[in-house]
Amino acid sequence: MASINGDRLLADLRELARIGAYQTGVDRIAFSAQDIEARRWLVGKLKQAGFDASMDRAGNVLGRDAGAPKAILIGSHTDTVPKGGWLDGALGVIYALEIARSAREAKSTSEIGVDVMSFQDEEGSYLSCFGSRIFCDGVANSEIESAQAKDGTPLVKALEALATEAPHHRLDPNRHLCYLEAHIEQGPRLEAASQRIAVVTGLVGIRRFRIRAFGRADHAGTTPMNMRRDAGAALVAFAGWVASEFPRHAGPETVWNIGSMTFLPGAANVVPDQAELVLEFRDTKTAVLDLLEAKVLARVEDSAAASARLEAHPLSRILPADMSSSLGAVIALAAAGFGEKAMFIPSGAGHDAMFVARSIPAAMLFVPSIGGRSHHISENTSDADIVLGCKVLAEAVSRLQANPSAIGSNP
Ligand SMILES: [Zn+2]
């Protein structure tokens, strides 16, 4: 059975959490001085352990196991959201460091080594999953040139802060057999089920629409109810339709949200002439997303003859990403070796694995988040669960080294 050093793992996680520490969490926004310090710290740790490590000019850190002709790529990201938690992303990177380092110390004779990755800007301070995208497929110059942070700082300017011209690290399909990413769950399901390890079945696709309603502004005291063209009422009726119709067509894992709603002109004594809301829905299955989209568009179409007319404007469409079921099965077997029955759940959040999975087989392991909290300084996982997750992933890696045919093909 593969072994790792649990105390060293926890010590490294805590050392990393001091870079950009904010109360009980971490503020390490991509390309900030703290983020770059954390990346250089990781390069130092990897070099110390004998890896060929560097940060490239995108901010991606790769530690190559130079003695091995092939490698399993393991990693995540060390950037955080503003005033974020200490484990989001960092956990998966330090797992990778600890697993790679332990395999080296054990003088593994496998021709499959472990390469360690920390991707840049997974959280999208400038461009969501910038690091994993540039590592796998590249990102168009036009997209890089137009990307900017909320405060208007261009990505091009942020890249200068890295102070390196080192060429981009690239996924090498001849070397990198698969990608493994561990992450905190960021939700309450493992804790609610009293389970400690989850295998991610897939990452959800997201469809987002702006629904707009058009009516006529009239005096709300003098216009009889049956003579109004009330855009607000039409939009609220649409929201009610979502609440009653979506459960009839959704899959068991579908989630949806109306996250904003506004009325214009927005006064108590004026019938709204315009109103809009933003509806998003998520599922790992394209067929479910397609069905819900068709229902939404048909409902909007039906409003054409109503006193207030609706329009649907697509805002974004993120494709679902399948995780490799053969890699997932290996993680579940590794968990069983520690007496843990893995739970199989989709990820409702995006991760770097989403992009890497387009090129090579990928799998994700989740450990519980206490109270389901994440993207907040209260984010935490028990030490015992942190160590167990790393042991399970290390065991999965050693099973894959011993039996590479279990890696399967993509996805
Ligand atoms: Zn993350």
Side-chain angles (χ1 to χ4, degrees):
M1 194 163 255
S3 74
I4 55 124
N5 182 334
D7 290 337
R8 182 171 61 184
L9 166 74
L10 292 167
D12 279 347
L13 273 168
R14 297 214 158 90
E15 196 179 320
L16 175 57
R18 282 201 287 274
I19 306 175
Y22 171 79
Q23 297 180 12
T24 58
V26 172
D27 193 291
R28 216 164 43 219
I29 297 167
F31 299 103
S32 63
Q34 294 76 13
D35 170 60
I36 297 168
E37 185 185 340
R39 290 174 188 280
R40 296 204 184 282
W41 172 87
L42 178 64
V43 169
K45 285 278 178 189
L46 285 162
K47 283 187 170 165
Q48 207 178 17
F51 288 81
D52 175 4
S54 62
M55 180 177 73
D56 72 9
R57 63 192 159 90
N60 278 337
V61 173
L62 175 64
R64 279 177 93 253
D65 191 348
K70 295 192 180 295
I72 293 171
L73 184 69
I74 313 181
S76 192
H77 61 98
T78 46
D79 62 293
T80 72
V81 295
K83 299 176 185 172
W86 72 296
L87 292 172
D88 182 343
L91 179 96
V93 172
I94 302 303
Y95 273 20
L97 169 65
E98 182 54 33
I99 291 168
R101 189 166 51 186
S102 297
R104 228 181 147 84
E105 286 166 357
K107 306 218 181 315
S108 162
T109 52
S110 171
E111 65 157 22
I112 303 172
V114 175
D115 285 358
V116 176
M117 192 77 213
S118 173
F119 290 117
Q120 178 59 299
D121 202 13
E122 190 272 347
E123 300 291 3
S125 296
Y126 293 81
L127 201 56
S128 235
C129 294
F130 171 63
S132 44
R133 289 182 57 202
I134 212 158
F135 180 72
C136 295
D137 303 322
V139 176
N141 274 336
S142 56
E143 199 178 344
I144 293 174
E145 279 156 19
S146 62
Q148 54 177 43
K150 260 201 185 123
D151 69 1
T153 309
L155 173 57
V156 178
K157 182 109 180 96
L159 285 163
E160 288 168 14
L162 298 172
T164 174
E165 284 302 313
H168 289 140
H169 295 307
R170 299 305 292 259
L171 180 90
D172 177 355
N174 294 318
R175 172 176 179 80
H176 296 126
L177 302 176
C178 64
Y179 174 67
L180 302 176
E181 180 170 359
H183 208 278
I184 53 166
E185 183 197 346
Q186 304 183 280
R189 297 176 62 160
L190 276 169
E191 195 178 67
S194 300
Q195 290 191 252
R196 301 175 70 194
I197 299 288
V199 171
V200 177
T201 52
L203 282 72
V204 296
I206 308 173
R207 302 216 183 155
R208 210 169 275 174
F209 287 87
R210 173 173 285 124
I211 307 293
R212 303 182 70 190
F214 298 90
R216 191 181 64 208
D218 282 305
H219 195 296
T222 59
T223 315
M225 295 308 287
N226 63 355
M227 295 176 73
R228 296 184 184 195
R229 294 175 53 200
D230 186 338
L235 200 72
V236 169
F238 174 83
W241 172 87
V242 169
S244 64
E245 281 301 296
F246 267 43
R248 298 183 47 214
H249 309 292
E253 301 286 359
T254 315
V255 292
W256 58 92
N257 186 43
I258 293 174
S260 88
M261 196 185 261
T262 49
F263 291 177
L264 288 174
N269 57 358
V270 184
V271 175
D273 67 337
Q274 281 186 48
E276 64 177 55
L277 60 75
V278 177
L279 166 70
E280 69 154 43
F281 40 98
R282 305 182 181 217
D283 200 282
T284 52
K285 296 189 175 59
T286 301
V288 172
L289 297 170
D290 284 346
L291 176 63
L292 292 173
E293 176 169 334
K295 295 283 171 192
V296 166
L297 297 179
R299 173 66 176 74
V300 166
E301 188 74 31
D302 281 350
S303 74
S307 59
R309 168 179 64 85
L310 299 179
E311 280 180 10
H313 301 266
L315 291 179
S316 62
R317 175 183 286 255
I318 293 169
L319 299 176
D322 286 331
M323 293 290 101
S324 154
S325 54
S326 46
L327 288 176
V330 172
I331 295 173
L333 277 174
F338 293 91
E340 296 295 328
K341 188 173 183 312
M343 190 173 178
F344 285 78
I345 59 174
S347 170
H351 292 288
D352 291 306
M354 197 155 68
F355 291 97
V356 187
R358 294 180 188 176
S359 303
I360 53 174
M364 289 192 76
L365 171 155
F366 281 170
V367 295
S369 294
I370 296 172
R373 302 302 308 278
S374 179
H375 279 187
H376 185 258
I377 57 165
S378 63
E379 171 185 288
N380 206 2
T381 298
S382 75
D383 285 0
D385 285 349
I386 290 174
V387 172
L388 175 72
C390 191
K391 285 180 174 169
V392 169
L393 197 65
E395 176 59 20
V397 168
S398 86
R399 283 169 184 248
L400 293 170
Q401 286 170 322
N403 178 22
S405 68
I407 291 170
S409 54
N410 202 16

